């Protein structure tokens, strides 16, 4: 999983410029804070925001503090707290509970990746994140989405990557099968296995999202 997130960052670096300190990185649904920590280490001049469910968010922040000792972090719940954390020079990582996600709109988001967690969300939740990304304070936001093309949740809801609220006005940078996410590991030899079948394809897309009026 750590290698997968490393490859993700390498892919983003190929297309995006991380030099601007006026923008933030946003990781939606990280796993153990790996990708958020990689962002913080690769672009320490930028603030990194991580949004997640409450318990996974605690893990994200805990692992970040172990990987980057001494770096400050904040947990914010509304727009005012977000603005305060963005203005604080000693804060590098900003945590947001998924229930408080609307406060993300106050931040200038340069890039926002989601790796295999939107495929666990109900369609209205996915749509809410797209709306937030289209209305944040940055002039344009790059969204990296890496999820299964098709997944059926336990309660029967069917999720389709191509049914996410993409628009013709989105500027496409990359669009293909995610080669490193097509592999998974388990306890059975040969341990590494390739996901086969149309229902198991993991796709990744990087695009500048068409903006909505804020």
């Amino acid at each position: 999983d750590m290698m997968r997130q490393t490859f993700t960052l390498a892919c983003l670096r190929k297309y995006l410029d991380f030099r601007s300190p006026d923008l933030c990185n946003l990781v939606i649904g990280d796993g153990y804070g790996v990708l958020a920590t990689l962002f913080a280490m690769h672009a320490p001049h930028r603030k990194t925001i991580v949004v997640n469910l409450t318990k996974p968010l605690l893990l994200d922040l805990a692992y970040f503090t172990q990987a980057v000792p001494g770096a400050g972090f904040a947990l914010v719940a509304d727009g005012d707290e977000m603005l305060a954390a963005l203005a604080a020079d000693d804060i590098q990582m900003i945590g947001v509970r998924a229930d408080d996600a609307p406060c993300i709109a106050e931040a200038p988001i340069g890039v926002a990746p989601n790796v295999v967690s939107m495929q666990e969300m109900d369609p209205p939740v996915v749509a809410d994140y797209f709306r937030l990304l289209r209305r944040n304070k940055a002039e344009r936001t790059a969204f990296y989405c890496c999820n299964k093309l098709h997944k059926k949740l336990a309660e029967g809801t069917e999720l389709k990557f191509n049914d996410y609220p993409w628009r013709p006005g989105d500027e496409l940078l990359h669009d293909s099968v995610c080669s490193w996410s097509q592999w998974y590991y388990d306890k059975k030899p040969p341990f590494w296995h390739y996901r086969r079948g149309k229902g198991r394809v993991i796709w990744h897309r990087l695009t500048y999202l068409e903006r909505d009026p804020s």
Side-chain angles (χ1 to χ4, degrees):
D1 287 348
M2 291 185 182
M3 285 301 299
R4 178 178 65 189
Q5 303 291 36
T6 302
F7 287 139
T8 296
L9 177 57
C11 177
L12 295 176
R13 288 180 58 189
K14 179 180 178 181
Y15 294 96
L16 305 177
D17 185 350
F18 284 84
R19 288 178 295 180
S20 173
D22 299 324
L23 299 174
C24 299
N25 307 312
L26 169 68
V27 181
I28 302 171
D30 203 355
Y32 295 96
V34 175
L35 186 54
T37 299
L38 288 173
F39 272 136
M41 298 176 73
H42 174 62
H45 54 283
R46 282 189 178 188
K47 294 185 188 293
T48 296
I49 303 169
V50 57
V51 57
N52 214 333
L53 300 174
T54 302
K55 290 183 179 180
L57 179 61
L58 292 174
L59 284 175
D60 292 339
L61 296 176
Y63 278 91
F64 165 72
T65 58
Q66 290 185 24
V68 191
F73 70 91
L75 180 65
V76 306
D78 56 37
D80 290 339
E81 292 182 356
M82 174 64 76
L83 291 173
L86 291 172
D89 293 336
D90 59 335
I91 298 299
Q92 187 175 5
M93 182 78 71
I94 301 173
V96 180
R97 295 186 314 121
D99 289 344
D100 301 323
C103 72
I104 293 167
E106 297 297 330
I109 306 300
V111 57
N114 175 269
V115 180
V116 296
S117 61
M118 271 191 171
Q119 64 190 38
E120 309 295 335
M121 302 177 188
D122 289 329
V125 177
V126 174
D128 284 341
Y129 279 113
F130 270 78
R131 279 192 290 270
L132 286 170
L133 295 176
R134 295 186 189 280
R135 296 176 184 175
N136 75 86
K137 297 298 180 65
E139 291 185 3
R140 64 176 184 171
T141 296
F143 178 46
Y144 175 81
C145 186
C146 178
N147 286 279
K148 283 187 176 181
L149 282 179
H150 178 272
K151 184 171 182 179
K152 191 172 184 177
L153 301 181
E155 70 275 13
T157 302
E158 290 192 69
L159 304 176
K160 297 181 180 179
F161 186 98
N162 289 319
D163 287 346
Y164 292 171
W166 309 103
R167 293 181 183 173
D170 295 339
E171 181 185 343
L172 192 63
L173 301 177
H174 184 91
D175 200 37
S176 72
V177 173
C178 184
S179 56
W180 53 86
S181 288
Q182 280 300 109
W183 291 89
Y184 70 99
Y185 58 89
D186 64 15
K187 298 178 181 179
K188 298 178 181 178
F191 306 112
W192 285 96
H193 308 274
Y194 191 80
R195 302 177 195 271
R196 302 190 183 279
K198 293 182 178 180
R200 307 188 72 197
V201 174
I202 296 182
W203 199 266
H204 65 160
R205 177 175 296 173
L206 177 62
T207 179
Y208 280 115
L209 295 177
E210 181 181 54
R211 284 192 54 78
D212 283 342
S214 57

